[in-house]
């Protein structure tokens, strides 16, 4: 393996980098020259008392780490690869109460309880209600557009169905959904100065979610209903979540079910509108493979991490016990050893073994079926009711160390020439799309007290890439 040609100090978790773009050209070079590469960091910059982490970029290696929890722990340093440098270690320790940051056997126990709410039957039971909500969301976006037909797709469309799905799933009244949105935003946006989220505000948001959820759990224990919350906290003769465990699960769900699904929908709409042949194909045929390609293309969670539990070899490199290992899903999902023409957005791609829901193993995304359903339902509603939607501005990206987020995407329903404003994956935010390919379009280049520490310097909840 040769040395990669990267600028001195280049860091794949630099939030300024991800605010500008996902570093696809650099990922491609790493896969070719140094698929497992040590990234040196100044001590403490990520909130960890070490000098860096391993960058794992190939699909096969990401899968290997994901499926060997006995070698690579989610618990030791949590799955979040970068916090604010001001975070205290005890604040990181609190994050281990969340399922994302557990290892077997404790993770197995909690997941076996939680998955009662995500059985195929449970997810199917939500379908009609969410279909109706998807159409109502799109109708409201059209009705509430400015006089010129313009609106922000993120806030008017993308955020709504994931939030309403959570509310439907755990019995949160619809009138409270804005609270969940606000709390989860405060937890996930700690790297973005536009939101001016302080450590105290993030901690307060985490406490609010835990307190809200504990009250919900207590009510169901007192008076069980035929809903998922009751099945998780009050099922007779089965293991149950304690009230505080349920509270931390809802923190997980609030970001996993809101932040990342919202970003998949936003990136999916941007991909369609900058690849008009794919939008026309979708409107005409509605391929069942669409949602999976949107998740691959977007990869809302750029990376999570594990920590080596012993000395181990990976990709020709000797990883020492205690080393942090970054799993870069955005790179794995563009590995040409696995995907033909990975730079092409192709909604008919099949098979599509992407790792956008995690690399397999114990942390494979519990809510995958629900996320796929939400993506399918919202784009069906958009295609039916806003078929001529077009871009009128470039996407504004979230500043984050590990989320591929879009804060704003201006669109319009008015007639006009289809826009090319956008953010192709290999560049910043100013390049236009290219011409259509054969089968796709190619781009141009106590528990509440504990919760107080959960978000002092970083989100505690995961994304689409697993839990």
């Amino acid at each position: 393996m040769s040395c990669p040609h990267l600028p001195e100090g280049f860091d794949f978790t630099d939030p300024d980098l991800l605010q500008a773009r996902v570093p696809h050209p650099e990922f491609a070079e790493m896969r070719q020259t140094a698929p497992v590469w040590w990234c040196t960091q100044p001590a403490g910059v990520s909130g960890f008392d070490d000098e860096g982490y391993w960058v794992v970029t190939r699909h096969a290696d990401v899968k290997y780490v994901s499926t060997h929890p006995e070698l690579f722990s989610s618990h030791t340093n949590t799955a979040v690869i970068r916090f604010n440098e001001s975070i205290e270690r005890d604040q990181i320790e609190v994050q281990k109460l969340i399922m994302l940051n557990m290892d077997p056997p404790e993770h197995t126990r909690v997941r076996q309880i939680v998955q009662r709410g995500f059985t195929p039957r449970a997810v199917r039971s939500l379908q009609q209600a969410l279909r109706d909500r998807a159409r109502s969301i799109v109708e409201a976006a059209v009705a509430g557009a400015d006089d010129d037909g313009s609106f922000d797709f993120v806030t008017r469309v993308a955020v709504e169905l994931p939030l309403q799905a959570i509310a439907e799933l755990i019995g949160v009244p619809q009138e409270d959904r804005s609270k969940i949105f606000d709390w989860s935003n405060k937890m996930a946006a700690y790297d973005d100065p536009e939101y001016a989220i302080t450590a105290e505000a993030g901690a307060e948001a985490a406490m609010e979610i835990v307190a809200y959820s504990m009250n919900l759990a207590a009510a169901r224990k007192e008076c069980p209903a035929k809903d998922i919350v009751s099945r998780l906290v009050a099922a007779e003769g089965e293991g149950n979540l304690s009230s505080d465990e349920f509270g931390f699960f809802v923190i997980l769900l609030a970001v996993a079910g809101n932040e990342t699904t919202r970003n998949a929908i936003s990136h999916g709409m941007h991909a369609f509108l900058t690849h008009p042949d794919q939008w026309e194909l979708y409107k005409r045929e509605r391929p069942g493979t669409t949602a999976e390609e949107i998740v691959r293309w977007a990869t809302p969670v750029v990376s999570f991490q594990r920590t080596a539990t012993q000395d181990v070899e990976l990709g020709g490199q000797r990883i020492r016990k205690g080393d942090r290992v970054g799993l870069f899903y955005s790179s794995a999902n563009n590995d040409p050893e696995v995907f033909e023409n990975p730079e092409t957005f192709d909604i008919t791609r099949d098979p599509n073994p992407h790792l956008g829901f995690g690399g397999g193993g114990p942390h494979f995304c519990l809510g995958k079926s629900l996320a796929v359903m939400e993506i399918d339902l919202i784009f069906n509603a958009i295609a039916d009711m806003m078929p001529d939607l077009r871009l009128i501005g470039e996407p504004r990206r979230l500043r984050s160390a590990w989320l591929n987020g879009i804060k704003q995407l201006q669109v319009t329903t008015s007639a006009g020439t289809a826009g090319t404003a956008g953010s192709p994956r290999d560049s910043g935010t100013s390049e236009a799309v290219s011409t259509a390919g054969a089968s796709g379009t190619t781009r141009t280049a106590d528990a509440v007290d504990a919760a107080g520490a959960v978000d002092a310097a970083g989100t505690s909840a995961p994304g689409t890439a697993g839990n």
Side-chain angles (χ1 to χ4, degrees), residues 139-296:
E139 285 178 352
V142 174
D146 293 342
D147 291 343
D148 63 356
S150 66
F151 62 92
D152 174 25
F153 181 84
V154 176
T155 56
R156 298 303 301 271
V157 177
V159 303
E160 284 293 329
L161 192 59
L163 282 173
Q164 295 193 27
I166 294 170
E168 196 76 27
L169 187 68
I170 63 174
V172 175
Q174 286 299 316
E175 59 268 22
D176 287 349
R177 73 182 189 273
S178 61
K179 296 179 183 178
I180 301 293
F181 174 62
D182 182 57
W183 292 333
S184 63
N185 264 350
K186 287 178 179 178
M187 288 190 296
Y190 62 92
D191 272 328
D192 197 317
E194 180 176 332
Y195 292 113
I197 302 302
T198 64
E200 292 75 16
E204 182 179 347
M207 285 191 291
E208 293 278 10
I209 287 185
V210 171
Y212 183 94
S213 306
M214 289 177 69
N215 288 335
L216 187 62
R220 291 299 189 275
K221 286 182 177 181
E222 182 72 22
C223 186
K226 291 183 177 180
D227 62 12
I228 286 172
V229 178
S230 298
R231 293 182 65 192
L232 297 183
V233 304
E236 293 291 337
E238 301 180 57
N240 296 316
L241 297 180
S242 64
S243 293
D244 57 324
E245 284 177 330
F246 179 72
F248 283 104
F249 167 66
V250 175
I251 286 181
L252 178 73
L253 187 62
V255 179
N258 168 29
E259 193 78 24
T260 58
T261 308
R262 173 217 308 183
N263 284 319
I265 292 169
S266 298
H267 280 290
M269 193 75 260
H270 179 253
F272 273 132
L273 298 184
T274 54
H275 301 79
D277 67 312
Q278 294 295 287
W279 186 228
E280 292 303 317
L281 173 63
Y282 180 78
K283 289 188 290 183
R284 186 172 64 249
E285 299 183 13
R286 314 291 170 99
T289 50
T290 298
E292 297 282 1
E293 177 67 351
I294 286 172
V295 172
R296 184 196 73 86

Side-chain angles (χ1 to χ4, degrees), residues 411-424:
V411 297
T412 183
T413 58
S414 66
T417 303
T420 58
S423 162

Side-chain angles (χ1 to χ4, degrees), residues 19-213:
Q19 184 177 31
R21 61 187 178 89
V22 177
H24 286 290
E26 291 84 354
F27 282 144
E29 181 172 357
M30 301 306 292
R31 290 191 301 267
Q32 287 290 323
T33 63
V36 179
W37 176 72
W38 179 256
C39 179
T40 301
Q41 290 180 315
V45 72
S46 292
F48 301 102
D49 187 20
D50 57 26
E51 297 180 348
Y53 62 95
W54 291 97
V55 178
V56 180
T57 52
R58 285 184 179 172
H59 188 281
D61 292 331
V62 172
K63 282 197 70 173
Y64 181 84
V65 173
S66 301
T67 54
H68 288 81
E70 74 282 4
L71 299 177
F72 301 97
S73 169
S74 297
H75 185 261
T76 303
N77 284 307
T78 79
V80 177
I81 197 166
R82 183 166 177 156
F83 297 100
N84 285 342
E85 59 184 319
S86 61
I87 195 170
E88 300 292 337
R89 182 66 201 193
D90 61 350
Q91 295 169 324
I92 295 176
E93 291 297 310
V94 171
Q95 310 238 6
K96 296 178 180 181
L97 296 169
I98 296 166
M99 188 169 66
L100 172 73
N101 301 321
M102 294 178 180
D103 290 333
E106 181 63 7
H107 176 271
T108 305
R109 180 190 71 82
V110 174
R111 186 174 173 115
Q112 284 177 343
I113 297 170
V114 169
Q115 67 187 10
R116 298 173 195 163
F118 293 90
T119 63
R121 181 178 179 181
V123 172
R124 283 197 303 271
S125 72
L126 302 173
Q127 187 169 19
Q128 188 55 53
L130 294 182
R131 178 180 288 111
D132 293 342
R133 293 187 188 283
R135 296 187 69 84
S136 296
I137 289 165
V138 175
E139 285 178 352
V142 174
D146 293 342
D147 291 343
D148 63 356
S150 66
F151 62 92
D152 174 25
F153 181 84
V154 176
T155 56
R156 298 303 301 271
V157 177
V159 303
E160 284 293 329
L161 192 59
L163 282 173
Q164 295 193 27
I166 294 170
E168 196 76 27
L169 187 68
I170 63 174
V172 175
Q174 286 299 316
E175 59 268 22
D176 287 349
R177 73 182 189 273
S178 61
K179 296 179 183 178
I180 301 293
F181 174 62
D182 182 57
W183 292 333
S184 63
N185 264 350
K186 287 178 179 178
M187 288 190 296
Y190 62 92
D191 272 328
D192 197 317
E194 180 176 332
Y195 292 113
I197 302 302
T198 64
E200 292 75 16
E204 182 179 347
M207 285 191 291
E208 293 278 10
I209 287 185
V210 171
Y212 183 94
S213 306

Side-chain angles (χ1 to χ4, degrees), residues 431-445:
E431 291 183 43
V433 300
S434 70
T435 56
S439 61
T441 304
T442 306
R443 62 177 184 268
T444 48

